[in-house]
Amino acid sequence: MISEHLTTCRLCPAFCGMKVELDGDTVVAAKGDPLHPISRGYLCPKGRNVGAFHHHPQRLDHAMVDGVRSAWDVTLDDLASRMKAIVARDGAEAIGYYTASGGAYDTAGRASIGTFFRKLGSSQRYSAVTVDCAPGMRAQQIVTGGSAEITPEWFPDDQAPKLAVTIGSNPVVSHAQLGMMLSDPVRWIRDYQALGGELWVVDPRRTETARFADHHMAIRPGSDAHLLAYLCRELLKDGANQSELDHHVAAADLATLRHALGPFDLELAATRTGLEGSQIDDLLAAIRRAGKLVITLGTGLNFTPDALLTQLLRWVILVITGSVDREGGMWVNVGWYDQLEKRERRSVSQAAPEPKTPRSRPDLPMWLGEVPCGAMVDQIENGHLKALFINGGSPLTAFPEPERLRKALRSLELLVVIDVMANELTEIATHVLPAAAMLERSDLPGGWSQHMAYTAQVVPIGADRRKTWWMFAELGRRLGFGVMDGIDPDTSTDDDVLMAIAANGRQPAEDLFAAGPRGIILPRIYGWVHDRVLPGGKWQIAPDALIDRLPDLLKPVERPDSLRLVSGRELHNHNRMAYGRYGHKRFDANDLPTIGIHPEDAARQGVSQGDAVTVKGDRGSLSGTVRIDHSLLRGTLHLTHGALGRNACELVSSEIDPATGQPVMMSAIPVEIALAS
Ligand code: SF4
């Protein structure tokens, strides 16, 4: 008999409402929940395919030690005893963890791993923040003088500004970005336009979002900062919100900024971006007409060499137009747990850099309590990281120089992989810990945007898998400490753990549990950043990170005639996980990715649809298959982001921007393309 269960999709942080149909313990269908207040019945192909993912033959079913199937007690005893030996010899600091999107949406697992490592006494914590989010978060910290979590958000409803500009982001395909969680994207965009909203897309590709937008600006990859610098300069002459400037911007900062932006005229913007001057001025006029606006910058932009500068310029435009933390503009998420608007100023101000640095990379300061991912390989090679837990991610698809990293990972005494699917890391792990997938655990999805929910477990946990929180509770017990107060791995349930986590939330935990997957909408509170965060009530609109970097934009472009490679997500994938394709075939890491190329570039390079090609960057090359793509700007190549097997990591150096901890160049990469020999 078929039963129906209401839950939340947690394959990405859009957290769509989902109805799962079961025949016994078999998932036979997944549909959108039409009564969910945000997703309104929408599920993308990843969510609709959750049954194939859940029952996939490559799911991890049993714990493994050194490649051999092992009982849980034996596995955890062995792991704990090897950890004790490392701690006794090298200290707890020699044991670290990396967590990414595969583990980030498991509330109990995420909380337990963080607490476990704090109690263990290790600060070697790595996460995907310094893979693809750091420039945006660093800019937030710099301009507000506060916390990196102070994220301006928007939603395309009747409270939104009437102008939205999205740069290097494609929400119709990639529904969750910093400050924009947009499930059911096409309908929301159409609703927004029906309310008088105007959507501009700035992207070298005519993306799926651009097809629904009012305007598309096909900008040259990596030149977004030039566009924003010009807009800033002109808005400071005409278009700024005078009250915001008078009360919340220091006069000296304004003068410094005006001076620094002096050279960024229309001619320079047009030359560098490849856009028509009239197109750029049309956008400027649209901003002046709208007054307040939304600007969202996507992951693609965060990978470009001038990402931090672009993020800072975006903030300056939002600030000078009075578009952030003001009604009619973007609100700043107050959080379910953090309740930032209630805190005293000092507790949301974390602008002082964290002085600690990883021993092998003193040039890369820690921030957000984490070591920048770019330091991981050096830490291993220099003997400062002996054991690594990897929770739901693969540094091999996310960091530059993957072969160097693979060698380093193989040299670890302990490589502990917690995941739901077999992958290239489980092949080299000392310990494989098979985790519950989303339908096998209860959860508290949300809180990163305006929505917060509770979902119960949908199916019994299968095979010999375990909850991630349970693994760390058991390990803590073996190492002599409790991981979560009042939680006993023998008797506690998911709900006990989640209830303890939710106890510190905005509303009583019971209310949240009662709200279920349709959840609770968080309040939009305006003005609290001005009142409680800004030092002296002023935005930092002329920070050194902006003023010192602007002159770099005036240098001649290196290799102006090179093709530039950009990466983008596909609807069926979330980073390395091909959720929407599981079930069609076994996933093969040796599959060649497709390389999108404009037909005129293809003709010039002598390649055709389906050809096997080699793309060569400064530090390496990758193989792919040509896909002729009319939606691309000439001079641009396009590759799927984060794909297992082959991705942009193969092409670039491991140079890190010390201000963000993120690789300097993972997009807009100068490359050559040729038929594979
Ligand atoms: S993977 Fe798709 S269905 Fe699931 S939450 Fe994200 S957008 Fe929604």
Side-chain angles (χ1 to χ4, degrees), residues 527-575:
W528 68 271
V529 177
H530 287 79
D531 295 342
R532 287 186 172 262
V533 180
L534 302 183
K538 309 285 190 201
W539 300 100
Q540 312 298 302
I541 64 159
D544 292 348
L546 172 60
I547 301 302
D548 293 351
R549 289 177 184 223
L550 274 173
D552 291 345
L553 295 182
L554 301 173
K555 293 177 185 165
V557 180
E558 288 179 26
R559 288 180 282 169
D561 299 327
S562 270
L563 293 164
R564 302 268 159 178
L565 183 91
V566 299
S567 305
R569 289 208 170 97
E570 290 182 353
L571 200 50
H572 291 78
N573 293 27
H574 187 60
N575 301 336

Side-chain angles (χ1 to χ4, degrees), residues 96-160:
Y97 78 83
Y98 169 74
T99 192
S101 49
Y105 319 132
D106 168 4
T107 306
R110 190 178 71 234
S112 68
I113 194 168
T115 310
F116 176 88
F117 274 85
R118 267 193 299 282
K119 293 201 171 178
L120 181 68
S122 171
S123 63
Q124 286 222 58
R125 298 187 286 270
Y126 302 82
S127 86
V129 162
T130 50
V131 171
D132 60 12
C133 304
M137 296 181 76
R138 180 61 97 189
Q140 291 168 186
Q141 196 177 34
I142 290 171
V143 175
T144 65
S147 156
E149 280 89 19
I150 294 177
T151 305
E153 292 204 19
W154 86 295
F155 196 75
D157 59 15
D158 58 359
Q159 296 176 51

Side-chain angles (χ1 to χ4, degrees), residues 166-169 201-204 217-231 269 272-273 275 297 300-302 304-307 309-311 313-314 317 553 566 667-668:
T166 181
I167 305 177
S169 132
V201 170
V202 180
D203 199 289
M217 300 172 80
I219 195 168
R220 207 168 270 151
S223 66
D224 313 271
H226 283 91
L227 173 66
L228 296 191
Y230 169 71
L231 294 174
R272 292 299 179 90
T273 61
L275 298 165
L297 305 186
L301 188 131
N302 273 339
T304 60
D306 292 315
L309 184 54
T310 313
Q311 291 277 4
L313 288 165
R314 172 252 191 173
I317 294 176
L553 295 182
V566 299
S667 188

Side-chain angles (χ1 to χ4, degrees), residues 9-16 42-44 46-48 175 183:
C9 179
R10 286 150 280 156
L11 298 179
C12 91
F15 299 132
C16 298
Y42 174 82
L43 279 189
C44 81
K46 299 182 281 296
R48 293 198 299 271
H175 304 347
S183 50

Side-chain angles (χ1 to χ4, degrees), residues 599-657:
E600 289 178 18
D601 290 327
R604 202 170 303 120
Q605 303 294 330
V607 300
S608 311
Q609 175 77 20
D611 280 349
V613 289
T614 302
V615 175
K616 197 161 165 282
D618 280 349
R619 294 302 175 96
S621 60
L622 62 84
S623 307
T625 307
V626 168
R627 173 177 50 80
I628 300 295
D629 188 343
H630 293 263
S631 69
L632 277 168
L633 179 69
R634 288 166 194 78
T636 307
L637 300 184
H638 182 269
L639 175 72
T640 302
H641 164 64
L644 203 60
R646 311 275 193 282
N647 61 64
C649 302
E650 317 270 348
L651 306 173
V652 294
S653 82
S654 54
E655 186 189 353
I656 306 292
D657 182 343

Side-chain angles (χ1 to χ4, degrees), residues 202-239:
V202 180
D203 199 289
R205 194 166 75 86
R206 184 169 164 74
T207 60
E208 292 76 0
T209 306
R211 288 173 208 156
F212 295 98
D214 300 278
H215 302 272
H216 171 225
M217 300 172 80
I219 195 168
R220 207 168 270 151
S223 66
D224 313 271
H226 283 91
L227 173 66
L228 296 191
Y230 169 71
L231 294 174
C232 258
R233 184 183 103 139
E234 296 305 305
L235 288 167
L236 283 171
K237 292 179 192 162
D238 174 17

